[in-house]
DNA sequence: TCTGGGGTCCTAGGACCC
DNA sequence: TCTGGGGTCCTAGGACCC
């Protein structure tokens, strides 16, 4: 029988920090930004269960977190540490004889044709704990959606199984937002159609969805609500489609020449990084967030085709920047470069598509 | 709750071509 | 010629996730 399992590390970022600071175990810990909650424009990346008990949530401003939980210990985010811990977790998972599909720092799908998924889950959980001292929860399902949701039921540190048989009993009364892929906007649109629970959505006539959602969503929503999901496992290493970097300034930028130099630097820096991975840049996008919070994105395909030249990309980024009227204080600047997929020609330089009939 | 950073995918409209 | 029926490319924006 084919089983999909989902490994989900428990409060991963905080857990990695506590490994380095064992004295913090069992305490309210909040990780985010530079770890200084007195500075504005920083948010919570991860909060320990003890901090969550005070209402601290990821995405919340650090200042708010500090107000809600006076005794919390605040720590700066340390991507390199999470990268390293994640690599150990995934290597451990890959040491089992099953396909593994990594989903970010702290999640992975695995499994396939396994006789005893609970046994596999127990062994994986024990191996991860032994290798990293980190706790994982594991969901078992007949597809990825079921496995992913099962992992939430398994938290913390447990194993939980969902099947088509148990799905309605577990999910029918839950809000549509419990489904992976249904966010606040979609939930609101569904609410306007009086579709509030997963059960409502599973039983609805797709014809009522079609005017509000596109054909894809219309097909997907009721299927997901009935517990259907992807059963494939791709072991292909993840290939980035794009790479971006953005900065929120502690105080707004008002000098357009500073804005321009910052954009040029971001673009050149990103290009240098992706070139190290043997990638070429095809498009460049510039993101500007004006005070108080108006965000715009403008982009351009590189006229000269895919390039590895940082100066070409930064010149293009400046061209894109000209699409903005920089007449207001700038709160955030970002640059994204889109990457040529390896093994794909970009058409530039290809001979004579002169065609015609 | 004055609201980060890094990603992916989908849709829609306009330009342009045959 | 006052008007069609595709198709593709490009950009903007929306939505979602961790």
């Amino acid at each position: 029988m084919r089983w999909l399992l989902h490994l989900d590390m428990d409060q991963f970022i905080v857990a990695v920090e506590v490994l380095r600071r064992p004295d913090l175990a069992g305490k309210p810990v909040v990780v985010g930004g530079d770890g200084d909650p007195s500075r504005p424009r920083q948010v919570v990346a991860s909060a320990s269960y003890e901090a969550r008990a005070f209402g601290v949530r990821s995405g919340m401003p650090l200042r708010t977190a500090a107000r809600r939980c006076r005794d919390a210990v605040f720590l700066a985010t340390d991507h390199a540490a999470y990268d390293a811990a994640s690599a150990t977790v995934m290597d451990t998972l890959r040491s089992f004889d099953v396909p593994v599909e990594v989903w970010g720092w702290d999640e992975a799908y695995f499994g396939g044709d396994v006789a005893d998924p609970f046994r596999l889950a127990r062994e994986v959980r024990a191996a991860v704990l032994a290798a990293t001292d980190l706790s994982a929860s594991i969901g078992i399902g007949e597809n990825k959606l079921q496995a992913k949701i099962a992992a939430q039921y398994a938290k913390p540190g447990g194993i939980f199984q969902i099947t088509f048989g148990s799905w309605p009993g577990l999910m029918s009364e839950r809000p549509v937002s419990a489904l992976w892929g249904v966010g606040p906007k979609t939930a609101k649109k569904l609410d306007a159609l009086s579709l509030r629970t997963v059960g409502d959505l599973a039983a609805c006539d797709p014809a009522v969805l079609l005017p509000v959602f596109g054909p894809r969503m219309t097909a997907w929503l009721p299927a997901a609500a009935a517990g259907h999901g992807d059963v494939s496992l791709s072991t292909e290493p993840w290939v980035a489609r794009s790479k971006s970097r953005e900065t929120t300034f502690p105080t707004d930028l008002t000098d357009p020449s500073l804005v321009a130099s910052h954009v040029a630097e971001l673009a050149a820096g990103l290009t240098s990084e992706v070139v190290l991975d043997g990638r070429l840049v095809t498009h460049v996008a510039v993101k500007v967030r004006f005070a108080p919070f108006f965000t715009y994105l403008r982009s351009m395909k590189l006229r000269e085709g895919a390039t590895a030249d940082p100066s070409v990309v930064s010149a293009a980024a400046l061209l894109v920047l000209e699409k903005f009227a920089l007449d207001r204080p700038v709160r955030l600047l970002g640059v994204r470069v889109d990457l040529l997929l390896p093994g794909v020609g970009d058409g530039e330089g290809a001979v004579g598509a002169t065609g015609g009939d």
Side-chain angles (χ1 to χ4, degrees):
Chain A
M1 168 101 192
R2 187 169 174 80
W3 291 106
L4 276 285
L5 287 79
H6 185 251
L7 170 128
D8 196 329
M9 302 301 294
D10 298 322
Q11 47 174 13
F12 177 68
I13 290 175
V14 162
V16 172
E17 296 294 347
V18 170
L19 282 185
R20 295 192 284 195
R21 296 271 310 271
D23 56 302
L24 297 181
K27 294 188 176 159
V29 176
V30 177
V31 182
D34 67 359
D36 180 356
S38 72
R39 296 183 47 179
R41 301 186 176 184
Q42 307 195 88
V43 302
V44 175
S46 181
S48 69
Y49 294 124
E50 293 79 8
R52 293 180 204 184
F54 287 88
V56 177
R57 296 285 177 271
S58 71
M60 172 183 285
L62 289 187
R63 283 185 156 170
T64 309
R67 224 176 297 129
R68 291 202 177 183
C69 185
R70 307 229 171 246
D71 296 330
V73 177
F74 286 84
L75 300 172
T77 50
D78 180 356
H79 286 210
Y82 316 140
D83 280 339
S86 175
T88 308
V89 168
M90 299 309 166
D91 285 346
T92 304
L93 190 48
R94 277 188 284 258
S95 72
F96 288 79
D97 189 25
V98 289
V100 173
E101 184 173 331
V102 175
W103 260 82
W105 267 339
D106 64 338
E107 294 183 25
Y109 291 98
F110 62 103
D113 198 12
V114 292
D116 186 348
F118 279 95
R119 185 176 150 202
L120 175 61
R122 284 194 300 270
E123 290 176 355
V124 164
R125 194 178 49 163
V128 168
L129 186 66
T132 64
D133 254 342
L134 295 169
S135 162
S137 299
I138 296 181
I140 303 170
E142 297 189 58
N143 55 51
K144 284 180 178 169
L145 179 65
Q146 291 176 9
K148 168 95 180 164
I149 293 174
Q152 302 307 310
Y153 281 95
K155 280 186 176 294
I159 296 168
F160 195 89
Q161 183 185 44
I162 296 181
T163 62
F164 280 109
S166 61
W167 176 271
L170 288 165
M171 298 298 293
S172 286
E173 298 306 317
R174 297 198 56 196
V176 290
S177 57
L179 294 170
W180 191 92
V182 176
K185 305 286 183 177
T186 303
K188 196 173 174 189
K189 288 183 192 172
L190 289 170
D191 185 82
L193 298 170
S194 299
L195 300 171
R196 308 209 165 91
T197 66
V198 171
D200 292 340
L201 188 54
C204 82
D205 176 1
V208 306
L209 302 176
L210 197 52
V212 183
F213 301 97
R216 271 185 111 90
M217 280 283 269
T218 295
W220 176 78
L221 283 167
H228 293 278
D230 185 9
V231 293
S232 68
L233 275 177
S234 168
T235 55
E236 294 296 308
W238 176 74
V239 178
R241 264 71 175 164
S242 65
K243 191 176 182 69
S244 65
R245 188 134 304 153
E246 63 186 56
T247 313
T248 293
F249 303 103
T251 52
D252 299 333
L253 245 52
T254 48
D255 180 352
S257 71
L258 276 183
V259 170
S261 62
H262 198 86
V263 164
E265 266 175 49
L266 284 174
L270 277 172
T271 307
S272 306
E273 285 177 36
V274 302
V275 165
L276 289 178
D277 295 328
R279 306 294 299 274
L280 298 175
V281 175
T282 61
H283 299 69
V284 61
V286 175
K287 179 170 167 181
V288 179
R289 178 171 292 151
F290 294 104
F293 207 80
F294 300 103
T295 311
Y296 305 90
L297 196 67
R298 295 287 180 273
S299 65
M300 195 179 84
K301 182 181 182 178
L302 298 181
R303 306 277 173 241
E304 48 281 272
T307 183
D309 185 342
S311 66
V312 168
V313 178
S314 75
L318 289 176
L319 222 52
V320 172
L321 185 64
E322 286 179 19
K323 300 184 184 194
F324 294 91
L326 296 174
D327 52 359
R328 285 169 288 170
V330 172
R331 178 190 171 102
L332 168 149
L333 284 176
V335 172
R336 185 190 79 226
V337 292
D338 292 339
L339 306 175
L340 186 65
L341 285 176
V344 180
D346 70 342
E348 297 295 329
V351 201
T354 49
D357 48 26

